[in-house]
Amino acid sequence: MPKIKVKTSIVDISGDEMANVIWGKIKTDLILPFLDINLLTFDLGIVNRDKTNDTVTSEAAKAIKKHKTGVKCATITPDDKRVIEYNLKKKYPSPNGTIRNILSGTIFREPIIINNIPKFVPHWDQPVVLARHAFGDIYKSKEIEIKKKGKVFLKYESDDKKEVVEKEVYNYKSSGVALSYFNVDDSIIDFAKSCFHYSLKRKLPLFLSTKNTILQKYDERFKNVFDSLYKKEFKKKFDKKKISYQHRLIDDMVACMMKWSGGFLWACKNYDGDVMSDLIAQGYGSLGLMTSELQSSDGKVLETEAAHGTVTSHYRQHKKGLDTSTNPIASIFAWTRGLTHLSNIDKNDALKKFATNLEKICIKTVQNGKMTKDLALMVGPDQKWINTNEFFLILKKELSSLN
Ligand code: NAP
Ligand code: MG
């Protein structure tokens, strides 16, 4: 069969360690034999980031902004140990942070559901997609320690000094602590737009959770921004797709999440998103089955990746020449979700079908009992596992029989 011709280029970001070995195999076994596609490849491996003084990371982000679709392999965020291990010039920031700052979008995390893989929450048979507002709140807070009696104030002063608002926070009778944090409307609006666009694209009902009964100005602002945008720009589109938007108290939302069977998008404030994304990942089971997408507020730019890291422990085995049983599914889904976005830009039905088929093949293979060790351990002691190369061989054979 001839390869599927793809007109629009895709930004391909390679990364580190075992994740990067898998990334290479995805391209050589599952993408390039079937697609006639132009890959704009950026090497974000830690060695090249060091060599380029990390300029390669912002170049990659700018390329995604320009070409609209990027797929990214997991990368090392160096700590002190990594600086020594790779003899780095400095402790570079997280590439994901740099890319997110340039694309300024929202991250959506989604579990991949396979019905023979047991979940800790067994009735979650559809995904809970979680969107985290990754700006402000406690992550940009100022905190102080109070040593003795005295007052703490919250004060705002406009640049022209004409407006001053000052409130006493607390009158301390003894030692204690205090904290202040902030957010800005532009960021909340961008977050809301990203969520509405994502809901529409995936045909998922949307819920925003806040604690607006307590924070009647702060959290109420989140609710108001979502409510008014929904009424003005999105309600008709939601009605057409038979989906809805609702605000719920965070307490009520966590209870619903446990009761419901999934199948919705949950917009979380920054801290809630940080905590709940790990809870949801664990509820569904495996890091090897969790994807992560960064989408711009207008829905036009998409960067996709697996939610897991570079899988260092497996890479150590791999370097000794040993086979590993590393799960490539989340990385493969990074490609299929990126290719689906590209198929809309390219108006390319054959490409869309290819991406859907590749996802179906991954799921079918696991359902047929062929899986990597992480999943087999979840199924039970009698479940056999295969290594990564064997898993790729099956996928490639299945894809070839379709194309
Ligand atoms: P990790 O790479 O996600 O691995 C943690 C453990 O989870 C692994 O040791 C492995 O458990 C299991 N695991 C994760 N992905 C798996 C897969 N695909 N198949 C099978 N098992 C899998 O997290 P980490 O060890 O904390 O971090 C390693 C490096 O990744 C760090 O340098 C960190 O900076 C980076 N990181 C990058 C990203 C990103 O680029 N988005 C995200 C997170 C971390 P077993 O060893 O028990 O098999
Ligand atoms: Mg966290």
Side-chain angles (χ1 to χ4, degrees):
M1 283 287 282
K3 292 185 188 183
I4 298 166
K5 174 107 192 93
V6 185
K7 288 187 294 232
T8 312
S9 303
I10 189 167
V11 176
D12 152 44
I13 297 181
S14 56
D16 287 300
E17 301 191 316
M18 202 59 213
N20 199 48
V21 175
I22 285 173
W23 200 250
K25 278 192 81 63
I26 294 174
K27 288 190 275 185
T28 52
D29 287 6
L30 307 178
I31 305 294
L32 296 175
F34 304 101
L35 304 182
D36 180 4
I37 187 169
N38 182 33
L39 305 182
L40 298 164
T41 302
F42 290 81
D43 176 8
L44 259 60
I46 189 68
V47 173
N48 195 43
R49 271 181 280 150
D50 193 48
K51 206 165 116 193
T52 63
N53 298 317
D54 208 21
T55 52
V56 67
T57 306
S58 38
E59 277 165 21
K62 285 175 197 151
I64 297 173
K65 208 169 183 174
K66 181 171 168 204
H67 297 278
K68 312 288 184 225
T69 317
V71 285
K72 180 181 168 291
C73 174
T75 45
I76 290 170
T77 298
D79 53 14
D80 292 327
K81 276 195 202 141
R82 295 293 203 174
V83 171
I84 297 166
E85 183 185 350
Y86 285 92
N87 192 21
L88 303 177
K89 283 179 254 169
K90 60 182 256 208
K91 201 156 70 181
Y92 298 98
S94 147
N96 288 13
T98 306
I99 295 171
R100 190 164 65 218
N101 285 339
I102 292 172
L103 300 181
S104 76
T106 298
I107 289 177
F108 297 85
R109 255 184 159 208
E110 176 173 355
I112 300 158
I113 299 201
I114 307 181
N115 59 21
N116 58 328
I117 303 300
K119 297 176 283 290
F120 287 101
V121 184
H123 61 276
W124 282 358
D125 47 22
Q126 292 176 73
V128 174
V129 186
L130 190 138
R132 172 180 171 191
H133 179 225
F135 178 80
D137 297 356
I138 62 163
Y139 304 88
K140 295 270 181 210
S141 61
K142 292 275 184 294
E143 32 176 1
I144 53 174
E145 284 179 306
I146 312 292
K147 299 261 162 49
K148 53 186 184 188
K149 274 186 175 182
K151 289 178 178 171
V152 166
F153 296 91
L154 184 63
K155 181 176 170 185
Y156 162 79
E157 184 182 85
S158 63
D159 276 352
D160 59 12
K161 314 258 186 236
K162 286 186 182 149
E163 206 189 329
V164 176
V165 185
E166 189 168 308
K167 273 195 172 183
E168 183 182 315
V169 175
Y170 195 64
N171 187 356
Y172 286 80
K173 302 287 180 260
S174 62
S175 61
V177 283
L179 159 83
S180 74
Y181 64 70
F182 69 91
N183 226 296
V184 294
D185 288 349
D186 282 351
S187 174
I188 304 170
I189 292 168
D190 268 1
F191 176 54
K193 283 186 177 165
S194 300
C195 291
F196 288 128
H197 281 298
Y198 202 88
S199 267
L200 286 171
K201 179 172 89 175
R202 299 294 306 277
K203 238 182 139 188
L204 290 171
L206 170 65
F207 296 91
L208 164 72
S209 60
T210 73
K211 190 76 181 172
N212 69 330
T213 44
I214 301 297
L215 296 176
Q216 295 180 6
K217 291 195 173 70
Y218 199 103
D219 278 20
E220 186 69 14
R221 180 64 59 87
F222 282 78
K223 177 177 183 289
N224 286 340
V225 164
F226 271 73
D227 282 355
S228 68
L229 259 173
Y230 183 60
K231 270 192 211 113
K232 257 200 309 219
E233 280 185 42
F234 293 97
K235 182 159 187 324
K236 275 193 192 135
K237 293 177 190 155
F238 269 57
D239 288 347
K240 227 178 177 173
K241 297 217 168 184
K242 297 193 170 54
I243 52 174
S244 57
Y245 157 71
Q246 247 182 45
H247 168 268
R248 275 176 189 260
L249 261 187
I250 178 82
D251 334 28
D252 179 28
M253 192 64 216
V254 292
C256 290
M257 172 198 62
M258 292 309 298
K259 268 189 306 203
W260 294 346
S261 55
F264 59 90
L265 171 60
W266 181 8
C268 284
K269 289 185 61 210
N270 208 349
Y271 172 78
D272 299 338
D274 184 353
V275 177
M276 291 302 158
S277 58
D278 283 1
L279 183 143
I280 285 176
Q282 197 53 63
Y284 281 100
S286 170
L287 264 178
L289 291 179
M290 184 68 74
T291 63
S292 178
E293 303 188 357
L294 173 64
Q295 189 194 262
S296 62
S297 57
D298 61 7
K300 289 188 176 146
V301 180
L302 189 78
E303 185 224 29
T304 58
E305 66 172 341
H308 62 74
T310 60
V311 212
T312 313
S313 57
H314 295 209
Y315 188 57
R316 299 218 167 103
Q317 242 183 299
H318 170 83
K319 278 216 297 199
K320 287 184 198 150
L322 301 170
D323 275 335
T324 72
S325 184
T326 316
N327 187 349
I329 293 180
S331 299
I332 295 172
F333 272 58
W335 275 92
T336 54
R337 297 289 155 94
L339 292 173
T340 302
H341 184 74
L342 190 63
S343 75
N344 293 328
I345 299 171
D346 221 46
K347 300 202 175 26
N348 191 333
D349 286 340
L351 179 62
K352 185 173 276 178
K353 201 162 162 221
F354 172 81
T356 312
N357 283 338
L358 180 48
E359 290 189 1
K360 282 187 187 155
I361 286 169
C362 288
I363 290 170
K364 197 179 94 185
T365 303
V366 176
Q367 283 173 341
N368 287 343
K370 305 282 185 211
M371 63 187 80
T372 45
K373 185 178 174 183
D374 55 320
L375 301 185
L377 290 177
M378 291 168 69
V379 173
D382 297 331
Q383 176 64 53
K384 292 201 169 51
W385 66 73
I386 55 179
N387 67 41
T388 308
N389 288 328
E390 291 167 325
F391 192 77
F392 268 102
L393 272 177
I394 297 173
L395 299 183
K396 190 175 176 184
K397 204 170 140 210
E398 290 284 326
L399 255 189
S400 306
S401 73
L402 283 181
N403 288 279

